[in-house]
Amino acid sequence: MSVHFQSDKEAADALHASYKRLREEIGKVIVGQDETVKLVLTSIFCQGHSLLEGVPGLAKTLLIQTVSSVLDMEFNRIQFTPDLMPSDILGAETMDKDRHFHFVKGPIFSNIVLADEINRTPPKTQSALLEAMQEYSVTIANKHFELPKPFFVLATQNPIEQEGTYPLPEAQLDRFIFNITLDYPSYQDEVNIVKNTTTDVRVKPDKVLGKEEIIYFQNLVRKVPIADNVVEYAVKLVGKTRPNSEHASDFSNKYLDWGAGPRASQFLVLAAKCNALLNGKYSPDIEDVQETATAILRHRIVRNFKAEAEGISIEEVVKRLM
């Protein structure tokens, strides 16, 4: 099915309407977590990947399964463990009975991949996944294989148990557009969750968008016009995170060891464009940059010992810089 709209304005209206339907369908299964759902959908429409941090039992797997269902995309879940090998993710060449080698695709050959507890596997296996995220392809035995499109990775980390884990280095964290923190539900949301999940009734959300529509909207996001002052605000905001740089403030010089790189500026502009479309606007403003800034900068800023000793969180840092 080919996707066609008379104009970009009509396409933008269609994306806004589709987003409202997506929220409704996902809301049939996922109670609350509105901000998380919006960031995950924004990440997909920006052709990015997200890192989700939250304690066990907050429906991280159910969320991504539901998103893949309403977007009519293939879904695979990979449980990361210390003995997981790169071939368990990418696939491997095997020999058949006629002694011919052929490639058996791994679970990464899917539209949506849930990398569960990514910090539980050694760096060699982590890098195999992260290379595929960056290149949208894998190379096995000198043979090149393209990954299906659209392609989206949601990696999860448990912030509590850190024994036997291999934390992602900053260079690899930078591959993720968002670092999304999932908090406990409110009292009323938890009451609704318990009511919905302790009966024999299973709600199945309807499909809203197909693969070709998603790819069309991903291209549309990049075509959104943006004013120079909004781009300059995004770049200056990232510059403020770099201590002892041109735009650094006294606050960042005092409390930060390291700031975000140029990829953060790119993601701020891209996410602002998408955020504007999802909110029914045709061009982003500074508020759209601010709305996504914390999730983009959270994993790209390194606080110093003084900030940690005084209990200054990354969220507070970003808020002060904005």
Side-chain angles (χ1 to χ4, degrees):
M1 181 189 76
S2 61
V3 183
H4 178 71
F5 294 99
Q6 295 294 328
S7 65
D8 288 342
K9 181 177 180 295
E10 184 183 331
D13 291 337
L15 176 55
H16 176 57
S18 297
Y19 170 64
K20 290 202 290 187
R21 283 190 58 210
L22 286 168
R23 293 293 290 264
E24 289 173 8
E25 293 303 318
I26 293 171
K28 292 179 181 178
V29 179
I30 303 297
V31 178
Q33 307 295 0
D34 292 339
E35 186 61 28
T36 300
V37 170
K38 186 174 185 180
L39 287 172
V40 168
L41 292 174
T42 300
S43 181
I44 292 173
F45 288 125
C46 288
Q47 293 178 274
H49 311 282
S50 287
L51 180 65
L52 188 59
E53 293 191 18
V55 298
L58 294 183
K60 296 187 290 291
T61 304
L62 181 61
L63 167 63
I64 199 63
Q65 284 177 330
T66 306
V67 169
S68 64
S69 175
V70 298
L71 292 178
D72 194 17
M73 296 205 286
E74 296 172 24
F75 167 76
N76 268 328
R77 176 180 177 271
I78 307 171
Q79 180 62 53
F80 279 68
T81 56
D83 59 349
L84 194 74
M85 298 295 291
S87 58
D88 296 326
I89 299 172
L90 307 179
E93 283 206 326
T94 60
M95 184 184 291
D96 60 22
K97 60 181 180 180
D98 299 321
R99 294 179 176 270
H100 295 304
F101 283 100
H102 62 97
F103 179 62
V104 177
K105 293 180 177 179
I108 198 155
F109 285 86
S110 188
N111 297 118
I112 292 185
V113 176
L114 174 61
D116 218 354
E117 294 191 292
I118 189 174
N119 56 333
R120 292 237 171 256
T121 202
K124 182 179 179 180
T125 306
Q126 290 176 358
S127 62
L129 172 71
L130 293 163
E131 181 183 356
M133 288 165 50
Q134 184 73 15
E135 307 298 335
Y136 291 90
S137 62
V138 299
T139 302
I140 305 290
N142 293 325
K143 293 180 182 175
H144 194 70
F145 300 93
E146 294 288 333
L147 292 172
K149 294 181 180 179
F151 177 67
F152 170 66
V153 172
L154 182 81
T156 70
Q157 286 191 149
N158 181 345
I160 300 175
E161 282 185 276
Q162 295 303 323
E163 295 83 4
T165 61
Y166 305 84
L168 288 170
E170 274 68 25
Q172 293 181 343
L173 282 171
D174 199 45
R175 308 272 179 97
F176 294 96
I177 181 171
F178 294 136
N179 181 356
I180 307 168
T181 56
L182 203 57
D183 207 350
Y184 291 109
S186 67
Y187 169 76
Q188 191 55 53
D189 282 344
E190 191 162 352
V191 168
N192 293 333
I193 290 168
V194 173
K195 285 181 178 178
N196 292 348
T197 56
T198 52
T199 68
D200 59 352
V201 178
R202 291 290 178 267
V203 179
K204 188 175 181 181
D206 296 328
K207 298 186 188 305
V208 178
L209 293 176
K211 297 174 188 175
E212 290 195 12
E213 292 168 299
I214 295 165
I215 293 171
Y216 185 95
F217 288 138
Q218 286 177 336
N219 293 329
L220 176 69
V221 167
R222 292 182 173 271
K223 292 165 64 177
V224 171
I226 183 169
D228 286 345
N229 71 302
V230 181
V231 175
E232 289 164 5
Y233 175 82
V235 174
K236 283 180 181 177
L237 177 58
V238 173
K240 288 179 182 178
T241 69
R242 302 167 186 164
N244 303 312
S245 67
E246 178 186 357
H247 296 290
S249 65
D250 291 340
F251 182 82
S252 54
N253 288 336
K254 184 177 180 181
Y255 290 112
L256 299 182
D257 264 346
W258 205 255
R263 191 176 277 155
S265 301
Q266 295 170 329
F267 284 153
L268 277 174
V269 169
L270 202 56
K273 289 183 176 186
C274 184
N275 194 71
L277 291 179
L278 298 186
N279 288 338
K281 299 185 293 186
Y282 302 120
S283 182
D285 50 32
I286 287 173
E287 284 71 24
D288 291 300
V289 175
Q290 293 175 334
E291 199 169 324
T292 56
T294 301
I296 289 173
L297 297 174
R298 180 182 282 127
H299 54 303
R300 293 182 166 89
I301 297 175
V302 179
R303 293 170 298 160
N304 60 22
F305 178 76
K306 185 176 180 64
E308 293 184 14
E310 295 183 18
I312 297 174
S313 66
I314 290 292
E315 289 78 9
E316 186 177 341
V317 170
V318 177
K319 188 176 180 182
R320 288 283 294 269
L321 296 181
M322 285 195 295

